[in-house]
Amino acid sequence: MYSIKQVVEMLDIPSVTLRAWENRYQAVTPERTESGYRLYSHENVEDLRWLKEQTEQQGVSISHAVRMLKARKEKQLDDTLSVASGNTQDAFEKMKEQIYNALHDFQGERANALIDFGLSLYGYEAMFHQVLVPILIQVGDAWEAGIATVAQEHYTTHMISNRFYQIFHVFPVYSHLPKVLAFCPAGEHHQVGLLLFALFLRKNGMEVIYLGANTPEEGIISMLEQQSRVGLICLSITDKDLIPFSEELIERLRKVCPGAKFLVGGKGYERDPSLSKADYVMTEPAEHWQAWFDHVFTSMKIKKSL
């Protein structure tokens, strides 16, 4: 992300011109800090660079150049999405490639447009499982291989995680079901599986407090002391070396929240589920989660129907 000062220096466009292009013509839409300062993405900068070329080298008015830019982007999107009329799996692969490339190049607007189209066409479950989760895995692998930078990995993870969070508010919450706390303990940075499971629980009517990756213990305890209805605490571990710490943490949290049930999952527990003393060890694939939920919360579902 770039400040307006950096963009002015990079493109040699006066700040007053940038503001005019934004306010009068909606040329780009930079993000804002909490203090109100503009932050420009790589995509914003490239769009401004293109607009400058059109106005200075081609003699096009800024209003017409902005219309050209929007038409150009719509054409790119149409070209990408034309594959949707073909084989569904091919469409997922193409969409995954296009979204990944857009995020890799910090083109957030284009990536969001592609995601919006996919969600409207295939629904959130298919898009998340077939497209967005594989992208998170792909960028993680690329970062570990040195192909993607830390900034690219963080940007991609942040953008896709935001789409997950937005879905949380779509589903109703049933007060007869226990509130859920979901987190990865300190040292665990991989949260994709936990995020999907939290979304699954939210879809089934459970209120989920999602704390995400690398959550410090003191923050968890402080939160539990303020929340009286937490009945299920979910932890995800991919690094098996963190299992001893995770198990000790569960015992400490039981003292803070004695009425809660504990659930653990993740690759760390897959080899040997017996390593955990949690109430539930979730090593089943996603397609089996509903059967588990129905079995565990059957009495509560009956109570709701009464």
Side-chain angles (χ1 to χ4, degrees), residues 161 164-165 168 179-184 189-199 207-215 223 234 236:
S161 295
F164 279 83
Y165 299 145
F168 268 54
K179 186 181 291 187
V180 179
L181 172 65
F183 66 92
C184 297
H189 297 273
H190 299 280
Q191 61 175 316
V192 177
L194 181 70
L195 195 55
L196 277 175
F197 190 69
L199 184 61
E207 181 180 355
V208 180
I209 303 172
Y210 186 82
L211 301 183
N214 192 31
T215 307
M223 193 281 302
C234 303
S236 179

Side-chain angles (χ1 to χ4, degrees), residues 18 20-30 44 47-48 51 62 66 69-70 73 109:
L18 286 179
W21 285 5
E22 293 168 24
N23 297 330
R24 297 179 190 173
Y25 307 106
Q26 291 76 52
V28 296
T29 306
N44 293 151
D47 287 347
L48 290 168
L51 290 171
I62 182 60
V66 170
L69 176 63
K70 292 181 178 179
K73 289 192 169 191
E109 293 179 12

Side-chain angles (χ1 to χ4, degrees), residues 222-280:
S222 175
M223 193 281 302
L224 285 174
E225 290 174 343
Q226 301 174 37
Q227 297 289 330
S228 58
R229 284 190 55 248
V230 173
L232 179 65
I233 300 176
C234 303
L235 296 80
S236 179
I237 299 292
T238 60
D239 183 355
K240 60 182 177 56
D241 293 335
L242 288 174
I243 289 179
F245 170 75
S246 174
E247 292 299 305
E248 293 171 1
L249 176 60
I250 289 173
E251 293 305 311
R252 292 192 291 271
L253 294 181
R254 284 190 190 277
K255 298 176 182 178
V256 180
C257 198
K261 298 289 187 181
F262 284 79
L263 179 147
V264 297
K267 291 184 178 180
Y269 283 103
E270 285 182 0
R271 287 187 179 180
D272 190 356
S274 65
L275 291 173
S276 181
K277 296 179 181 179
D279 300 279
Y280 310 108

Side-chain angles (χ1 to χ4, degrees), residues 162-177:
N162 278 345
R163 302 311 297 252
F164 279 83
Y165 299 145
Q166 291 169 8
I167 298 296
F168 268 54
H169 304 289
V170 173
F171 305 108
V173 171
Y174 302 132
S175 60
H176 67 281
L177 292 172

